[in-house]
Amino acid sequence: MAFAVVAQAQNTKPEPVRIAFVGDSMADGLWQGVTRHIAKNACLKAAIDTERFGKNGTGLTRLDKFNWPREVLNIGKRYKADLYVVSMGLNDRNPIYDPDGKNAQIYSPEWPGAYRTIVERMVKNATSMKASVLWLGVPVLRDKAADKEAKEKNAIYAEAIKALNEPSVTYVEPWRIKPEAEGVFSTYG
């Protein structure tokens, strides 16, 4: 009997790692790139399952239109993600409207704190589903005002994730084409 259980366990394929890509159009691009890479590698095909949950035009400021903190819970229930790859922020140049929290006008003193609260809630919801989170910062943007705001959002993401002190959550600074090219926009990398 014990031999049959061991033999059955040896014949069982391990479940693939389930990676949910969430966020705005940046998450879509990441999902597409990773999915193409996996498709070219037979070993990865069996080991990694990716799903696109990115939703263009969304962000963390208009939770009355699309609520990412709530959506990661829904994704966790449906997809059972092991890892959330989060990339967003392009559309967060708006006042915050949060039916479940604080509202704040863009550029007001309250805006960064309200935004950080939403980031923390989203991460906590993902980790409550026993998933890890990899949050990627917004890359350098061509428009100087948008780029300045992207850097401010990246600081909020980094600070919020550091303060949570959760080992399964990591913030990743935006990539650079060349280390010495900090702050230089490029259409392609």
Side-chain angles (χ1 to χ4, degrees):
M1 172 103 167
F3 177 73
V5 172
V6 170
Q8 181 180 359
Q10 289 175 342
N11 290 331
T12 312
K13 288 171 104 178
E15 286 291 315
V17 174
R18 300 168 74 77
I19 304 173
F21 288 82
V22 300
D24 57 23
S25 57
M26 292 188 303
D28 274 350
L30 290 168
W31 169 79
Q32 188 177 42
V34 168
T35 301
R36 283 183 181 163
H37 182 71
I38 290 169
K40 295 175 184 176
N41 187 320
C43 293
L44 293 177
K45 281 184 195 179
I48 300 173
D49 178 65
T50 64
E51 191 68 40
R52 174 195 173 268
F53 293 98
K55 200 155 182 68
N56 295 346
T58 64
L60 297 176
T61 56
R62 289 302 309 263
L63 300 183
D64 58 323
K65 303 290 183 194
F66 193 84
N67 190 315
W68 273 114
R70 192 175 313 137
E71 186 61 21
V72 296
L73 290 172
N74 294 333
I75 293 167
K77 291 174 189 168
R78 288 190 318 264
Y79 181 66
K80 310 271 190 268
D82 298 302
L83 173 66
Y84 288 92
V85 175
V86 180
S87 185
M88 67 173 71
L90 293 177
N91 303 298
D92 289 343
R93 298 179 77 188
N94 301 301
I96 293 172
Y97 182 75
D98 182 358
D100 303 323
K102 294 180 182 178
N103 298 330
Q105 289 299 316
I106 186 84
Y107 308 122
S108 71
E110 299 81 26
W111 196 94
Y115 193 75
R116 178 179 170 153
T117 298
I118 297 166
V119 170
E120 290 170 349
R121 190 171 34 189
M122 185 171 167
V123 170
K124 286 177 183 176
N125 285 354
T127 57
S128 76
M129 304 298 289
K130 307 295 185 234
S132 296
V133 176
L134 181 66
W135 195 301
L136 300 153
V138 180
V140 174
L141 301 176
R142 183 186 331 243
D143 178 77
K144 293 299 177 195
D147 187 56
K148 179 180 180 283
E149 290 174 10
K151 286 181 173 90
E152 291 166 357
K153 284 180 240 156
N154 286 343
I156 292 170
Y157 304 146
E159 290 167 9
I161 289 168
K162 183 178 180 182
L164 288 171
N165 197 27
E166 173 60 50
S168 65
V169 181
T170 302
Y171 170 75
V172 177
E173 285 288 329
W175 59 270
R176 298 183 192 115
I177 294 174
K178 297 177 184 170
E180 67 276 2
E182 182 173 347
V184 176
F185 172 79
S186 176
T187 305
Y188 301 100

